[in-house]
Amino acid sequence: MNWAGLYTVLSGVNRHSTAIGRIWLSVIFIFRIMVLVVAAESVWGDEKSAFTCNTQQPGCNSVCYDHFFPISHIRLWALQLILVTTPALLVAMHVAYQQHQEKKLLMLRGHADAKHMEEVKKHKMRIAGSLWWTYVCSVVFRLLFEAVFMYIFYMLYPGYQMMRLVKCEAYPCPNTVDCFISRPTEKTIFTVFMLVTSSICIVLNMAELVYLVVRACARRSQHHSNPSSAKGSFYGHKHSSEYKQNEINQLLTEQDGSLKDMLRRNSGLLEKGDRCSAC
Amino acid sequence: MDWGALHTILGGVNKHSTSIGKIWLTVLFIFRIMILVVAAERVWGDEQQDFVCNTLQPGCRNVCYDHFFPISHIRLWALQLIFVSTPALLVAMHVAYRRHEKKRQFRKGDQKCEFKDIEEIRKQRFRIEGSLWWTYTSSIFFRLVFEAVFMYAFYFMYDGFRMPRLMKCNAWPCPNTVDCFVSRPTEKTVFTIFMIAVSSICILLNVAELCYLLAKFFLRRSKNAGNSKQQPNHENKEETKQNEMNELISDSCQNTVIGFTS
């Protein structure tokens, strides 16, 4: 299990996300995870071996490194990325549960053939009802984790800047000892880069939250004015097209019986998967 | 998530690119990313360990290395490649949006459906026109901007593209001025020049693609202006056809009714 495995798992969630959610996922994978893997890890690769203190006292190097770097930037970022991407799995689980329910319903109605089952698996769930709440919770958790990690970062490494020199007086170092950090400028550049992308992700999450809330309010006001509108599930959709077909059938039965058959054969309204005869 | 995953993501965009775009993508992956991964990373692998200064003063080496290499070539190239390949995702998103709209139309049982099933919609290649043309052109423009910015950053940081063998350093805590020696300077110069040359080729390809798209746009516009009276637009044509068929059906129905009643 590595970043590629995480990518596989989260790509599935992508289908049921909003557009902003998909942009957020792309930013996470390309500008954060990928930059971490191909660039940042090699910058911090020699952080301990190249951490040099101006002393020959054994143990002083290790103690000073441990004092100034309780947890390395790379590990903090890795933890942050894992925790930030994981709430999306709540949505994946909820979607899987809903799909399971729909399949059971199909079996009860006697439509348990492979074609309908595939359709249930492939169709995109609308973010409505309980799925909306799950989705909103996942976005809130994402925001929370991002903010917490940015705060931890700030607490551990004030100013987000990597110093060239740190003065250490932890035992067993004799008096105060100068210790030099390797590649401080490059590390500062990448720290700032990761910080900026983290802020962009926070902004995207907030935008997504606002969008979901606005959509829910809009849908609610639409429901109040038009209570018979279609529901947001696979069966809601099928229901509306069946309803339409029923209406047309009713209109047609007002004409002659044989005329009705002929017109229905030539009508433009189709069953799913049929050839489009009027095209 | 590594270069292979980026290749997978961008491979999908390839289908909707122009021929020049496809060549650009191939040059990017084979002559830049692959060279970076299989060769350049090894050359720069020991850049700090083998950066040697003529002093025993602890910390002097670290400080001098940091002073002369604020960001390593390898990392700069990696960032450049990521930024330069990302605008293609704008095109991928736009294509995905269009596909989504077509699928919605198909599911509604729209009269205008030209596809037998969802699979065909998924496989369809979209022509670069209308709003997709603007998205595509913007993506090329951003690519050009990023390439130029990174080349400038490179030139600015390293005063030209040559790697010197010796650098003189007098940053604290180095005592006075100290000679520091860079490892594999010639090999690094060779690869730097190679990457710059390929970067310039990519810039030329992008400029050519931009010119091609503009030329196609103006050509199509002048053709449309000439044919606008003779040819109604595609959608109106479909609707007219459907209306005609409906009329024919209703005519034949009336005849049938008359036939039955008589």
Side-chain angles (χ1 to χ4, degrees):
Chain A
M1 186 71 189
N2 53 13
W3 294 114
L6 188 70
Y7 179 64
T8 317
V9 168
L10 290 178
S11 302
V13 181
N14 212 9
R15 200 168 1 132
H16 308 283
S17 303
T18 60
I20 303 177
R22 288 177 201 176
I23 295 172
W24 171 84
L25 207 71
S26 303
V27 170
I28 284 263
F29 275 104
I30 295 177
F31 291 101
R32 293 174 77 178
I33 295 181
M34 195 165 167
V35 169
L36 185 83
V37 169
V38 309
E41 275 183 356
S42 46
V43 177
W44 269 267
D46 60 359
E47 56 177 330
K48 178 122 197 298
S49 52
F51 181 78
T52 322
C53 290
N54 188 2
T55 179
Q56 295 213 323
Q57 171 64 44
C60 180
N61 236 11
S62 299
V63 162
C64 292
Y65 176 81
D66 185 62
H67 180 258
F68 288 104
F69 300 103
I71 177 167
S72 170
H73 290 56
I74 291 285
R75 260 70 70 184
L76 258 182
W77 283 326
L79 281 175
Q80 180 181 15
L81 288 166
I82 291 171
L83 284 172
V84 154
T85 45
T86 321
L89 295 177
L90 284 175
V91 176
M93 286 192 269
H94 194 138
V95 163
Y97 171 73
Q98 272 189 348
Q99 279 174 345
H100 176 74
Q101 296 292 98
E102 280 175 10
K103 280 183 182 166
K104 263 202 328 192
L105 204 65
L106 271 176
M107 280 198 273
L108 284 172
R109 287 196 181 191
H111 292 306
D113 54 322
K115 197 178 86 167
H116 284 110
M117 292 295 179
E118 268 309 299
E119 184 57 43
V120 165
K121 214 185 281 179
K122 283 192 191 156
H123 95 100
K124 186 193 156 171
M125 295 275 176
R126 272 185 69 190
I127 302 172
S130 55
L131 185 59
W132 184 91
W133 286 103
T134 309
Y135 199 91
V136 165
C137 284
S138 79
V139 175
V140 166
F141 276 118
R142 272 187 229 163
L143 267 169
L144 208 70
F145 288 137
E146 291 271 22
V148 162
F149 272 92
M150 279 181 75
Y151 178 71
I152 291 175
F153 231 102
Y154 186 76
M155 291 299 290
L156 285 173
Y157 304 110
Y160 300 117
Q161 200 202 357
M162 187 67 82
M163 308 300 294
R164 235 181 221 191
L165 159 76
V166 288
K167 291 186 184 288
C168 174
E169 42 188 33
Y171 175 81
C173 302
N175 305 308
T176 305
V177 146
D178 291 334
C179 292
F180 300 89
I181 293 168
S182 87
R183 314 179 206 250
T185 312
E186 203 166 0
K187 286 178 179 171
T188 306
I189 290 173
F190 276 96
T191 307
V192 168
F193 181 87
M194 295 296 264
L195 194 72
V196 166
T197 46
S198 201
S199 317
I200 290 172
C201 286
I202 288 179
V203 166
L204 284 170
N205 283 330
M206 283 173 35
E208 198 177 6
L209 210 55
V210 166
Y211 168 74
L212 285 167
V213 167
V214 162
R215 212 169 80 165
C217 294
R219 206 183 298 135
R220 212 176 219 191
S221 57
Q222 209 184 44
H223 262 160
H224 284 313
S225 51
N226 182 14
S228 64
S229 58
K231 296 201 175 89
S233 73
F234 171 73
Y235 268 92
H237 162 72
K238 202 166 195 286
H239 183 77
S240 83
S241 67
E242 279 177 8
Y243 182 69
K244 238 168 146 178
Q245 184 67 55
N246 286 343
E247 264 191 353
I248 291 185
N249 286 348
Q250 219 170 350
L251 287 168
L252 292 170
T253 47
E254 285 166 15
Q255 314 247 339
D256 194 38
S258 59
L259 175 59
K260 179 182 80 178
D261 281 341
M262 200 180 82
L263 280 176
R264 207 187 286 134
R265 261 203 309 278
N266 286 323
S267 119
L269 199 68
L270 309 161
E271 285 294 328
K272 251 193 236 315
D274 281 359
R275 288 179 68 89
C276 185
S277 58
C279 299
Chain B
M1 188 71 193
D2 57 1
W3 297 114
L6 188 71
H7 184 239
T8 316
I9 294 173
L10 291 180
V13 180
N14 211 9
K15 210 197 312 177
H16 308 281
S17 303
T18 60
S19 324
I20 304 177
K22 290 176 190 173
I23 295 171
W24 172 83
L25 206 71
T26 310
V27 168
L28 188 85
F29 274 102
I30 297 180
F31 292 101
R32 293 173 79 178
I33 294 180
M34 194 168 162
I35 295 286
L36 186 83
V37 169
V38 311
E41 276 183 356
R42 301 258 168 88
V43 177
W44 269 267
D46 58 2
E47 58 178 330
Q48 207 193 349
Q49 284 154 257
D50 283 357
F51 182 78
V52 168
C53 290
N54 187 5
T55 180
L56 285 180
Q57 171 64 45
C60 177
R61 196 173 66 116
N62 283 8
V63 161
C64 290
Y65 178 83
D66 184 61
H67 180 258
F68 289 110
F69 301 106
I71 177 167
S72 169
H73 292 54
I74 292 284
R75 257 75 67 184
L76 253 185
W77 285 326
L79 282 176
Q80 180 181 14
L81 289 166
I82 291 173
F83 274 91
V84 153
S85 33
T86 318
L89 294 178
L90 286 175
V91 176
M93 285 194 265
H94 193 139
V95 162
Y97 170 73
R98 271 211 186 164
R99 270 209 192 113
H100 174 74
E101 290 296 300
K102 293 245 155 139
K103 278 184 189 170
R104 232 166 34 127
Q105 272 181 8
F106 178 80
R107 285 215 176 95
K108 274 192 194 158
D110 209 322
Q111 306 280 353
K112 295 180 227 144
C113 65
E114 309 105 65
F115 305 103
K116 293 179 193 153
D117 56 21
I118 297 271
E119 273 310 307
E120 213 177 292
I121 295 178
R122 210 171 276 159
K123 289 191 195 146
Q124 183 212 17
R125 191 202 150 174
F126 288 100
R127 280 184 66 188
I128 302 173
E129 51 194 14
S131 54
L132 186 59
W133 184 92
W134 286 102
T135 308
Y136 197 88
T137 314
S138 311
S139 80
I140 297 180
F141 178 73
F142 278 118
R143 270 188 230 162
L144 270 167
V145 166
F146 288 138
E147 291 270 22
V149 162
F150 274 93
M151 277 182 75
Y152 177 72
F154 220 95
Y155 187 81
F156 180 75
M157 263 193 253
Y158 297 108
D159 272 331
F161 301 120
R162 213 180 128 260
M163 183 68 80
R165 247 179 213 184
L166 161 73
M167 290 165 165
K168 291 190 182 286
C169 174
N170 56 10
W172 187 89
C174 303
N176 306 309
T177 304
V178 144
D179 290 336
C180 292
F181 300 89
V182 178
S183 87
R184 314 181 207 241
T186 312
E187 202 168 1
K188 285 178 180 171
T189 307
V190 166
F191 274 97
T192 306
I193 292 174
F194 181 87
M195 294 295 264
I196 296 291
V198 182
S199 200
S200 315
I201 291 171
C202 286
I203 288 178
L204 282 172
L205 284 170
N206 284 329
V207 168
E209 199 176 3
L210 209 55
C211 293
Y212 169 73
L213 285 169
L214 285 169
K216 216 166 85 159
F217 175 74
F218 286 120
L219 220 71
R220 204 183 302 130
R221 216 183 207 185
S222 55
K223 213 164 62 167
N224 273 347
N227 292 347
S228 62
K229 284 188 185 147
Q230 288 135 18
Q231 212 179 40
N233 79 36
H234 182 70
E235 283 174 330
N236 280 343
K237 210 173 158 192
E238 290 279 328
E239 283 179 11
T240 321
K241 232 163 101 181
Q242 187 62 50
N243 287 341
E244 271 183 8
M245 282 173 81
N246 287 347
E247 265 186 53
L248 283 168
I249 291 167
S250 60
D251 280 345
S252 64
C253 293
Q254 278 178 357
N255 289 341
T256 317
V257 168
I258 292 166
F260 267 108
T261 50
S262 65

